[in-house]
Amino acid sequence: MTKAPSGTKPGLEITLDPEDWAAFRRFAHDALDRSIDYIEGVRGRPPWQPMPKAAMEALSTPVPQDGKPVEEVFGEFQQNIFPYPLGNIHPRHWGWVNGSGTPEGIVAEMLAATMNSNLTGHDQAPVWVEMQVIGWFRELFDFPSRAGGILVSGGTMANLTALQTARTAKAGFDVRSEGLSSNKAGRYTIYGSTETHYCITKSVDLLGFGKKAYRAIPVCDDFTIDLKALKKQIVADKTAGFTPMVIVGNAGTVNTGAVDPLEELAEIARAHNMWFHVDGAFGAVAYFSDKLRPRLKGLPLADSIAFDLHKWLYQPYGLGCVLVKSAQALSDAFSFEANYFRPLAGGVSNGPMTFNDIGIEHSRRFRALAFWFSMKTQGLEKFKALFEQNVAQAAYLGSLIEGSGSLELLAPVGLNVVAFRYNPGGLSENDLDNLNRLLLIEIQNRGIAVPSATTLDGRFCLRAAIVNHRSRREDFEVLAQALKEIGDELKKKGGWAA
Ligand SMILES: *Cc1c(COP(=O)(O)O)cnc(C)c1O
């Protein structure tokens, strides 16, 4: 006879639900209260602090064999996890391109977890919420009604999804059945600027083109793609027997926020029968603002747009979207026949949409709810005003840097991104690199602000990407002041020259 697992009595099955719902309710209310305190008080804490060794050790323990009360686990969370975030919810976090999230997002994520729906498709309200959100984006990006889209975990997945769609549409044969090793396959090439996010090359690699198929075209002084060089490369590749397939334009490069000339790129793509994709991970949404729209002229000419909701739309991680001009092209690229997933004439299967037929994932979380809540609560006008506020803040930081005497911009301020360094004069490029590296670490370690770093034209620089709805003008004054003071202090101290 087999022995029943411990805790099991005949007729009394075990479950993960609490025995005492009232106690669970008290814990859950407490956790929500602490979460709200955490957000409300974020400005009073440093943006970032290093994790102490004790916390790391507490997070490196063996598998717990037996459970303990949830309050006790929550205590550990509060001690070892809660105080040590990346800090992107803080008003002075401008590192990489990290979104700040929303208070309503906390609740929406909780409600989505409560429903715990699986968004493959089927007849359920969460499917309608996602379709609603995609419909809003179709409208906001001036895409036609035949356009389709899907929510994904982020910009990388959105770009990968778009490039698989492009590959299927432009291969010229049934590439999904026969693969790129078929003798019908051309030697396909994909084009974008040297400033394009690495996830495009990653996608090119994953889709089997080989990384060398990505043609990194040089940029102009403003870090936008050099159109002449692009045209030349396409013609040269054609002559050499390649088949140019996709042009990737940037609506906001990660380094400097540069926006490629999208209208011209669309024209070149059309002339060569290529797919025109736009990586607008953070920048694309600026198109919603009447004021900023002229900077993204031509965006609706794209065959596909990849963008994030967890960056400049301020939504919780991980939330991105891909929008494709032709919904048919999207389903051509992903549809599969699965005998366990055929719709019936009624019942649960009879849904309006099967998302697993237009994307990579099968099981999918209820991603749309946070944005649905946010858009309904705040309204489009609020988002537009926030984009304009962030762009104005970038310009303001740029002016503080230019007016400071010992700081300088290393690129024109593009949309909401500022690239800069401390340069008091009289130092070699090499010394400036070393000094600015130390300066960045000090600014972060002292809990002042979190800009991040990049390299532009071979020079180390600090950068602030402002996708933060909590930042105020005074926060940028704090940064500019600290850069000057700590820069001077480090310069005087010396010891940084390699
Ligand atoms: C962030 C970013 C990506 C990648 O998006 P994830 O959401 O981080 O996967 C791609 N392109 C650009 C321009 C980005 O800023």
Side-chain angles (χ1 to χ4, degrees):
M1 263 189 60
T2 51
K3 214 174 139 238
S6 69
T8 315
K9 291 187 202 114
L12 192 65
E13 286 85 355
I14 58 167
T15 169
L16 295 173
D17 284 339
E19 274 172 36
D20 181 351
W21 282 100
F24 179 79
R25 186 181 299 269
R26 280 192 301 277
F27 149 70
H29 279 264
D30 183 37
L32 185 57
D33 276 337
R34 304 281 174 134
S35 299
I36 296 167
D37 290 346
Y38 190 80
I39 295 278
E40 192 183 2
V42 64
R43 182 172 276 280
R45 300 191 299 270
W48 178 82
Q49 53 177 331
M51 274 178 83
K53 224 167 149 244
M56 295 183 195
E57 279 165 6
L59 295 170
S60 315
T61 53
V63 180
Q65 299 295 329
D66 293 303
K68 52 185 164 187
V70 71
E71 295 79 6
E72 211 174 299
V73 179
F74 186 49
E76 288 176 25
F77 169 81
Q78 285 180 285
Q79 175 147 11
N80 300 319
I81 302 172
F82 224 14
Y84 310 109
L86 179 62
N88 45 304
I89 66 167
H90 193 279
R92 287 191 302 279
H93 181 109
W94 307 298
W96 304 274
V97 191
N98 285 326
S100 36
T102 67
E104 64 266 21
I106 300 171
V107 181
E109 289 287 284
M110 186 188 77
L111 297 173
T114 302
M115 291 182 80
N116 195 31
S117 279
N118 185 350
L119 273 273
T120 39
H122 299 317
D123 195 359
Q124 55 170 331
V127 166
W128 286 91
V129 178
E130 181 156 346
M131 292 195 309
Q132 163 84 94
V133 164
I134 297 295
W136 287 342
F137 287 129
R138 193 189 288 128
E139 187 182 323
L140 288 166
F141 282 114
D142 292 326
F143 261 39
S145 58
R146 67 187 167 87
I150 185 168
L151 295 180
V152 292
S153 60
T156 299
M157 290 302 285
N159 280 302
L160 176 61
T161 305
L163 291 182
Q164 161 67 359
T165 311
R167 191 182 79 131
T168 309
K170 293 293 183 188
F173 72 107
D174 184 1
V175 62
R176 289 188 60 205
S177 297
E178 300 185 42
L180 285 176
S181 58
S182 160
N183 57 17
K184 290 179 202 149
R187 292 158 69 205
Y188 305 111
T189 42
I190 290 93
Y191 301 77
S193 83
T194 50
E195 290 293 301
T196 302
H197 195 276
Y198 83 93
C199 75
I200 296 295
T201 317
K202 189 187 251 182
S203 302
V204 166
D205 168 19
L206 288 171
L207 291 168
F209 292 112
K211 286 188 281 182
K212 281 185 184 164
Y214 182 72
R215 305 292 201 238
I217 306 299
V219 290
C220 306
D221 290 343
D222 61 359
F223 298 97
T224 62
I225 191 166
D226 180 339
L227 291 170
K228 251 201 212 139
L230 170 66
K231 287 187 216 166
K232 225 169 112 186
Q233 184 69 48
I234 292 174
V235 170
D237 282 340
K238 277 186 159 173
T239 309
F242 291 96
T243 305
M245 181 183 259
V246 185
I247 295 178
V248 179
N250 286 297
T253 58
V254 61
N255 272 337
T256 71
V259 179
D260 288 331
L262 304 177
E263 274 185 312
E264 286 84 349
L265 290 181
E267 182 55 43
I268 297 168
R270 193 164 19 183
H272 293 279
N273 188 28
M274 297 165 74
W275 184 275
F276 178 40
H277 171 67
V278 173
D279 177 12
F282 63 92
V285 298
Y287 186 83
F288 307 163
S289 147
D290 306 328
K291 242 195 216 154
L292 300 173
R293 190 170 306 126
R295 300 219 208 170
L296 295 156
K297 229 166 90 197
L299 184 56
L301 298 172
D303 292 302
S304 52
I305 307 174
F307 61 98
D308 272 315
L309 287 79
H310 60 211
K311 286 180 175 170
W312 213 357
L313 279 169
Y314 315 106
Q315 296 307 301
Y317 282 94
L319 190 52
C321 182
V322 58
L323 211 57
V324 178
K325 183 68 72 52
S326 156
Q328 186 59 49
L330 191 55
S331 93
D332 287 347
F334 288 100
S335 66
F336 260 89
E337 275 290 313
N339 54 11
Y340 41 81
F341 216 74
R342 288 210 184 105
L344 302 175
V348 180
S349 303
N350 187 32
M353 184 77 201
T354 46
F355 287 110
N356 62 322
D357 266 342
I358 60 166
I360 297 170
E361 294 173 300
H362 181 72
S363 293
R364 304 170 64 248
R365 58 187 295 265
F366 186 8
R367 291 199 172 93
L369 193 64
F371 183 63
W372 181 88
F373 248 96
S374 214
M375 200 58 162
K376 291 222 161 208
T377 311
Q378 308 287 355
L380 177 63
E381 290 302 322
K382 183 72 158 284
F383 282 98
K384 289 176 8 183
L386 278 170
F387 302 152
E388 288 161 19
Q389 176 172 294
N390 286 155
V391 169
Q393 286 167 339
Y396 181 56
L397 176 59
S399 72
L400 290 175
I401 286 163
E402 283 192 305
S404 78
S406 56
L407 306 174
E408 65 175 344
L409 291 175
L410 290 188
V413 176
L415 279 180
N416 54 343
V417 183
V418 190
F420 52 92
R421 69 177 173 180
Y422 173 76
N423 183 358
L427 295 176
S428 71
E429 283 295 326
N430 194 43
D431 286 351
L432 282 173
D433 283 358
N434 290 325
L435 180 53
N436 276 281
R437 243 179 237 123
L438 267 194
L439 176 56
L440 177 60
I441 294 170
E442 281 302 306
I443 297 261
Q444 294 176 349
N445 277 351
R446 294 187 196 187
I448 297 166
V450 178
S452 60
T454 190
T455 307
L456 288 174
D457 297 327
R459 296 181 296 190
F460 180 86
C461 72
L462 285 67
R463 61 183 272 295
I466 307 162
V467 290
N468 194 321
H469 62 86
R470 296 194 177 97
S471 306
R472 302 175 188 153
R473 277 167 82 89
E474 70 209 47
D475 291 314
F476 300 98
E477 289 158 10
V478 167
L479 174 64
Q481 190 66 26
L483 286 166
K484 263 192 301 197
E485 282 175 13
I486 300 174
D488 288 348
E489 178 192 317
L490 291 173
K491 184 184 172 225
K492 206 178 287 163
K493 208 164 95 192
W496 34 267

